[in-house]
């Protein structure tokens, strides 16, 4: 058995500085409860691509990327921490009863929040 400590990090105040941007866990590390690490990095890369295709100065492009991604990434950070508290709770009886009594439709709606996302808007083709 391998046991590693998991540290909870707060949201960073900024993901960009001038012409440098953070992506993935460097920008929004989260606990591994939702399995979103690689997926969030891919979403970051897509948002950065969309922002860069819009043109403009690099610092503005990076700021647009961060503004587009921050709300969803922050929501997933919070939900991952919430899931950790639930999964690692020492009060397993009430947790297990609550999970059994939660209707399937309610659980499905809660999971859709993680799966549904608005893709960054792609700029219209030139010409």
């Amino acid at each position: 058995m391998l046991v590693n400590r998991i540290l909870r990090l707060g949201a960073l105040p900024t993901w960009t500085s001038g012409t440098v941007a953070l992506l993935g866990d460097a920008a929004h590390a989260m606990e591994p409860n939702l399995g979103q690490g690689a997926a969030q990095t891919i979403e970051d890369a897509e948002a950065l691509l969309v922002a860069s295709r819009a043109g403009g100065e690099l610092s503005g492009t990076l700021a647009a990327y961060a503004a587009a991604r921050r709300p969803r990434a922050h929501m997933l950070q919070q939900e991952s921490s919430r899931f950790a508290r639930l999964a690692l709770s020492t009060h397993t009886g009430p947790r297990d009863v609550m999970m059994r009594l939660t209707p399937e439709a309610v659980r499905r709606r809660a999971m859709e929040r993680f799966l549904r996302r608005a893709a960054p808007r792609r700029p219209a083709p030139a010409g």
Side-chain angles (χ1 to χ4, degrees):
M1 179 190 290
L2 177 64
V3 177
N4 290 311
R5 215 172 144 191
I6 298 173
L7 301 175
R8 181 176 299 134
L9 302 175
L12 293 178
T14 183
W15 296 0
T16 64
S17 178
T19 58
V20 176
L22 300 175
L23 282 81
D25 283 346
H28 45 73
M30 60 186 76
E31 296 159 84
N33 303 294
L34 299 177
Q36 285 291 307
Q40 291 308 298
T41 303
I42 291 167
E43 287 185 27
D44 287 351
E46 179 186 28
L48 185 56
L49 176 65
V50 169
S52 68
R53 286 182 175 166
E57 288 190 31
L58 182 56
S59 60
T61 295
L62 298 181
Y65 142 74
R69 286 289 300 136
R70 185 176 288 279
R72 178 168 163 77
H74 184 68
M75 179 271 297
L76 287 166
Q77 278 180 306
Q78 290 177 318
E79 290 301 315
S80 182
S81 290
R82 191 171 67 87
F83 270 64
R85 288 190 302 276
L86 182 65
L88 301 174
S89 171
T90 57
H91 306 290
T92 58
R95 177 199 65 199
D96 294 348
V97 168
M98 180 184 76
M99 293 303 288
R100 276 195 302 275
L101 295 177
T102 302
E104 177 64 28
V106 172
R107 287 193 304 240
R108 188 174 303 124
R109 266 195 318 271
M111 287 306 296
E112 285 174 4
R113 182 174 181 205
F114 306 128
L115 301 175
R116 180 182 50 233
R117 72 176 182 89
R121 284 186 227 126
R122 291 178 177 21

